[in-house]
Amino acid sequence: MSDLKVTPFTDEELKVEIRKLIKEKNAVLLAHFYQEGDIQDLADYVGDSLGLSQQAAKTDADMIVFAGVHFMAETAKIINPSKKVVIPDLAASCSLSESCPTPDFKSFVEAHADHTVVSYINCSAEIKALSDIICTSANAVKVVKSIPEDQPIIFAPDKNLGAYVMKQTGRKMLLWDGACMVHEAFNIDKILKLHEEHPDATFIAHPESEDHILKVAKYVGSTTGMINYVKNDPAQKFIVGTEVGILHQMHKEVPEKILIPAPVNDETCNCSECGFMKMNTLEKLYLCLKNEQPEINVPESIRERAMLPIQRMLDLSK
Ligand code: 13P
Ligand code: SF4
């Protein structure tokens, strides 16, 4: 999704300008593993949603530049409201976050008032404000296990992660009907065929995928979990079932290993790329640092309520 350039700089010049501005403005650049490789390489910290939240909490920079999607930058602002938080493209949304409109979710929660509400971090500040505890893919099982066994639970907005957590914990939960369009695009027949062609490859997956995909994976975990698995497992070849941007960091960690992106349903598109994540470009990153916008702001009444469930998650994940 690269737009027409509006600055005179080449990519190499943009990289130099970005690092210069980060220093001049005492900013910190946080990037998710699904960002394009050049952005990951420029970042002060690259991580999964949990790691990025922890970094946002502890930074002493004046400005957080968030190379990720909107809910991630918004979470950083909720956690650390005295910092200016900017994002290269304000339109960088998330299909999970979009699948959970506030009025509908509010009615759902009110209709099940005795339930504890566990929300995946991939949701808006308003949804977080309606939740009791937040989780990420790295700690969802731990978060659910922390809730007393007789307590009924709503899990939102990812029904696939929710189903995976139900399997892992043996807890029945009421699931919101949301999904990640990238992780739902993986094709089981093609994955099995690829595995037949590469019998020595280990298939690993992210829990945002559907059960029939997760069932055939040897390892299921967050993006950081997947990178650590590839690093520590003796296998030399992996079929990687998550957004392709992760391969950049994996290749850096294990240059000697063979990494094959898992195939998707549609041959005409690269569906394992998250179009939202890829809205951020080097040029937009440069402009957002220079102009200190688009800026993320959250009304204080929502921020305060959204912080409580995030803080519970952060305390549990120390
Ligand atoms: P994690 O990096 O926390 O595993 O999340 C994956 C994802 O889809 C982020 O939007
Ligand atoms: Fe949302 Fe899926 Fe993109 Fe992550 S990969 S930002 S969950 S749409």
Side-chain angles (χ1 to χ4, degrees):
M1 283 202 187
S2 65
D3 300 344
L4 282 176
K5 274 201 162 171
V6 295
T7 67
F9 300 122
T10 63
D11 280 359
E12 286 316 306
E13 287 165 343
L14 281 170
K15 289 181 203 171
V16 174
E17 293 301 315
I18 288 166
R19 281 310 319 171
K20 234 196 259 174
L21 283 168
I22 288 172
K23 201 157 181 245
E24 266 169 42
K25 300 199 176 205
N26 188 29
V28 65
L29 175 57
L30 306 182
H32 189 266
F33 291 126
Y34 298 164
Q35 290 296 288
E36 63 173 71
D38 279 345
I39 294 182
Q40 292 189 40
D41 290 345
L42 281 171
D44 298 294
Y45 177 85
V46 191
D48 68 359
S49 308
L50 179 62
L52 288 163
S53 304
Q54 289 165 331
Q55 290 296 319
K58 70 178 189 202
T59 186
D60 52 12
D62 293 323
M63 176 163 67
I64 298 173
V65 185
F66 214 114
V69 290
H70 187 273
F71 78 81
M72 294 179 169
E74 191 176 58
T75 304
K77 183 69 185 178
I78 294 167
I79 293 174
N80 211 335
S82 66
K83 308 294 177 191
K84 183 175 250 189
V85 178
V86 293
I87 184 168
D89 193 324
L90 203 53
S93 180
C94 165
S95 68
L96 269 169
S97 188
E98 286 181 4
S99 71
C100 200
T102 310
D104 300 359
F105 190 64
K106 191 166 182 289
S107 308
F108 184 67
V109 168
E110 281 167 3
H112 303 93
D114 58 334
H115 283 53
T116 292
V117 181
V118 180
S119 293
Y120 188 30
I121 197 162
N122 298 38
C123 65
S124 66
E126 288 79 7
I127 299 299
K128 288 183 175 81
L130 290 166
S131 307
D132 296 303
I133 186 160
I134 300 303
C135 70
T136 73
S137 55
N139 59 22
V141 169
K142 191 175 182 186
V143 164
V144 168
K145 278 186 176 167
S146 76
I147 299 166
E149 274 188 25
D150 56 347
Q151 177 60 39
I153 298 172
I154 286 174
F155 190 94
D158 189 353
K159 63 178 175 191
N160 295 320
L161 177 63
Y164 171 75
V165 173
M166 287 210 293
K167 260 192 161 178
Q168 297 300 305
T169 60
R171 296 286 292 268
K172 208 171 150 25
M173 302 192 292
L174 214 47
L175 304 181
W176 184 259
D177 188 14
C180 163
M181 61 188 193
V182 178
H183 288 87
E184 280 209 329
F186 291 114
N187 183 295
I188 187 68
D189 296 332
K190 290 186 191 173
I191 291 171
L192 293 176
K193 188 165 174 286
L194 187 64
H195 199 235
E196 263 173 40
E197 289 161 15
H198 300 273
D200 53 336
T202 299
F203 175 53
I204 59 171
H206 191 279
E208 286 174 14
S209 279
E210 292 164 281
D211 184 53
H212 63 272
I213 301 284
L214 302 184
K215 257 191 194 140
V216 298
K218 187 154 179 223
Y219 174 79
V220 176
S222 77
T223 49
T224 295
M226 291 172 85
I227 290 172
N228 288 338
Y229 188 84
V230 165
K231 250 165 78 178
N232 300 324
D233 190 78
Q236 289 301 305
K237 205 187 260 187
F238 296 86
I239 299 171
V240 182
T242 192
E243 211 268 1
V244 283
I246 198 173
L247 294 186
H248 180 75
Q249 203 63 31
M250 275 184 184
H251 278 305
K252 282 170 86 172
E253 297 279 359
V254 286
E256 74 289 3
K257 297 197 180 183
I258 297 167
L259 308 168
I260 312 170
V264 291
N265 287 323
D266 191 341
E267 260 137 42
T268 61
C269 74
N270 189 359
C271 301
S272 67
E273 259 200 359
C274 174
F276 296 120
M277 285 280 181
K278 298 302 195 275
M279 287 173 100
N280 296 329
T281 61
L282 277 179
E283 190 174 53
K284 288 184 201 170
L285 178 56
Y286 162 75
L287 289 170
C288 103
L289 255 158
K290 184 167 171 270
N291 302 327
E292 302 190 12
Q293 56 166 303
E295 188 180 352
I296 303 282
N297 280 304
V298 182
E300 187 54 18
S301 60
I302 293 174
R303 193 202 70 78
E304 272 178 10
R305 277 189 290 137
M307 186 59 205
L308 296 172
I310 296 175
Q311 190 61 55
R312 287 190 191 112
M313 173 191 79
L314 292 174
D315 291 345
L316 212 94
S317 307
K318 274 178 189 155

